[in-house]
Amino acid sequence: MISIIENKVNQGEEIAVVVSARGNATDELEEILGIAAKNGDYKTPFETFKSDQNGEYAAIDLSVEFEVLDKLFEGVSLIGDYSNKIKDQILSQGELLSAKLLTSILIQKGINAHFADSRALIKTDSKFGDAQPLEQISKKNVINYFMENSDTVNIVTGFIGSNNNNDTTTLGRNGSNYTASLIANYLDAEELQNYTHVDGIYTANPELVPDAKKIDRLSFNEANEIANFGATILHAKTIIPLLEKNIPLRILNTFNHENQGTLITSKSNKEGIKTLSVLENVSLVNLEGRGLLGKTGVDARIFRVMGDNDISVSIISQGSSERGIGLVVNANQATKAMIELEKEFENDFYSKDVNKISITDDVSVISIIGQDLSTFHKPYTALIKNKVVPILFNNTVTGKNVSLVVKKSQLHKALNVIHGEIFGVSKKINIAIFGHGLVGGTLINQILESAAAIEKRKDIKLNVFAIANSKNLLLNKNGVSPNWKNEIQNNGFSYTIDDVIAFANENHLENLVAIDNTASAEFVENYIPLAEGSFDLISSNKVANTLSYKFYKDLRKVLAENQKNYLYETNVGAGLPLIDTIKLLHLSGENITKIKGVFSGTLSYLFNNFSAKDVPFSEIL
């Protein structure tokens, strides 16, 4: 951070710097506050906090802030409770410490830096914890301050302000970014640069989707949608002051100075789907009832309850067939929402218009920013094929954003499936191969040798994550190596088919395929659990189709229910594509009356050679 500021000053840039708290200071202060409120030993973690904040700059005096914190923690410990006002005073110290520390270091390095306490600049209402700035007086304060301190690098505390009584307030989530965008607005800045821990905004969270790609450019409207649907880097309120003055926002990486980041301006570089955003820590509140269908005023009553109880609704979806309404709210507000809705609809329970109000926990929301409904069937179909069934979905009025509510346990897989389907990255096929004899071993080596060419030619990435024989199993979520024979011998372990299915689920592997090269009637019994576990099936043998007719029907039923394929073209005709040919003829209306031929590669070889050569049959055999 110091290096970034030094470079800008040396290049003659006129800058103001807004800082957030150092490291995890805000979370740590909140945790110490909680310990103090329970009359616990808050002094030990507080000493650690002080040491961490000074770090290698022990000579810099931060005692004033530490004394304030000490007194506040002591008071909370004595009373055993605290107000939001006290909490704001405590949390504000993180930014004060950070700004004072940075200012002192810059001065030591010969840079004319000046500590700027934003409590004297940003005036707010008295809603502690989520205060709203008072624009006119804040703007006047900022302009006057920067006119008086125009020849210095002003190091401004983000996140904090003060009310008319000069009580400390905080601006809520992403408050430091909000402070920066307000000051940029008031000063008509040329650009706001937001330094974070990643190279910019990605097509999805890289921690959840390894194939995510950085987006070079976005429009303010697109960024606003991303912020509304859970992107942690952005917050909607950060965008608005910039949008008013058309001030570009650049998201940059503190640790990668060569990177150009993501630029957000009034215009995007192209239309289309931009990114996948995720909302976690949410719950789904469901209202079900026959009387909800077509009844006027129901939505108004719901939103009045939400508004009166200060409960934010991120998504609402109504389904006529289910005669229900679903609301997505913060997880910590779900119980309150249910209780207040039950009060509001108490009479409707008696009249049977409403029969149930419930909560579904452990859900997440995936929003596809820029998704047009005309092409939504592609990611939706891919989800269903991977056994991810959305609980609820909703699209915005413009039809350019679609949000899906999924089970939290399926979030990773759902993101990777949608991302792979939408963004043109190679579609990943995760393969488990059972049996590695002559046929199976040759197939494994062929896949490994051909994988790069297939990906380049077809945009399909083949990943062999499991190889098994009758006794041992080798697993690697990133794909086995060409040395797989030695590895399965040395590192393989005994297994059941459930181990393979569980591994695929635990690692959120999508587009699963199981290949059976065993010719084992016992292994065929695993086909049904594999299909139920979201695997498509391929076999190079005839076994599954030559057991009992009941098994044949049961397998087809499970395949249909799970929308899985079972491919086995090599079963007949020495690998000739007879089955597909016959199937296509049948589906196109042809009436097959007779099928005649020798459908065995071995018999064909014997007959052709016996008729052509003057040698005994036993020799040919």
Side-chain angles (χ1 to χ4, degrees), residues 365-530:
V365 178
I366 301 171
S367 295
I368 312 173
I369 309 300
Q371 172 70 66
D372 193 311
L373 278 178
S374 64
T375 57
F376 176 59
H377 63 283
K378 293 178 181 177
Y380 192 84
T381 302
L383 285 174
I384 300 302
K385 279 190 71 65
N386 279 278
K387 292 197 77 173
V388 179
V389 181
I391 300 166
L392 174 154
F393 92 92
N394 166 278
N395 73 298
T396 55
V397 176
T398 60
K400 294 293 184 183
N401 299 310
V402 174
S403 296
L404 303 165
V405 178
V406 299
K407 292 177 183 174
K408 200 164 192 174
S409 59
Q410 295 182 316
L411 174 63
H412 279 67
K413 182 190 265 192
L415 278 171
N416 281 284
V417 168
I418 296 171
H419 193 274
E421 194 67 35
I422 286 173
F423 287 106
V425 295
S426 297
K427 184 175 183 178
K428 198 172 189 181
I429 309 292
N430 287 291
I431 304 169
I433 297 179
F434 300 92
H436 56 78
L438 183 61
V439 173
T442 305
L443 176 65
I444 294 165
N445 291 332
Q446 187 179 12
I447 291 173
L448 296 180
E449 289 164 13
S450 308
I454 290 171
E455 184 173 6
K456 187 176 180 181
R457 192 167 69 243
K458 300 288 289 181
D459 277 339
I460 292 173
K461 185 174 183 178
L462 300 178
N463 182 56
V464 180
F465 77 91
I467 298 175
N469 54 34
S470 58
K471 294 179 180 177
N472 291 326
L473 170 68
L474 176 67
L475 293 170
N476 187 334
K477 68 176 181 179
N478 297 316
V480 299
S481 75
N483 192 33
W484 59 268
K485 279 187 180 177
N486 287 331
E487 287 176 6
I488 195 168
Q489 194 171 345
N490 298 324
N491 304 325
F493 57 92
S494 60
Y495 72 101
T496 67
I497 206 67
D498 291 336
D499 295 324
V500 179
I501 296 168
F503 182 82
N505 289 333
E506 286 162 11
N507 291 281
H508 316 290
L509 301 182
E510 73 273 27
N511 303 319
L512 299 166
V513 175
I515 302 177
D516 174 19
N517 296 310
T518 65
S520 161
E522 286 181 11
F523 184 80
V524 168
E525 294 174 5
N526 294 316
Y527 283 17
I528 286 176
L530 282 167

Side-chain angles (χ1 to χ4, degrees), residues 592-604:
I592 298 167
T593 58
K594 184 184 288 185
I595 298 173
K596 188 176 180 182
V598 177
F599 300 109
S600 165
T602 305
L603 285 177
S604 294

Side-chain angles (χ1 to χ4, degrees), residues 119 320 400 434 562:
R119 292 178 295 184
S320 58
K400 294 293 184 183
F434 300 92
N562 292 277

Side-chain angles (χ1 to χ4, degrees), residues 285-292 295 301 337-358:
V285 180
N286 303 288
L287 288 86
E288 299 171 34
R290 196 177 300 276
L292 294 175
K295 191 170 184 178
R301 291 168 65 190
M338 183 178 74
I339 291 167
E340 296 302 326
L341 286 168
E342 285 175 343
K343 290 178 187 174
E344 172 65 30
F345 289 92
E346 186 176 0
N347 291 332
D348 301 83
F349 277 105
Y350 291 119
S351 63
K352 305 297 183 185
D353 285 341
V354 176
N355 59 9
K356 189 178 181 184
I357 299 177
S358 61

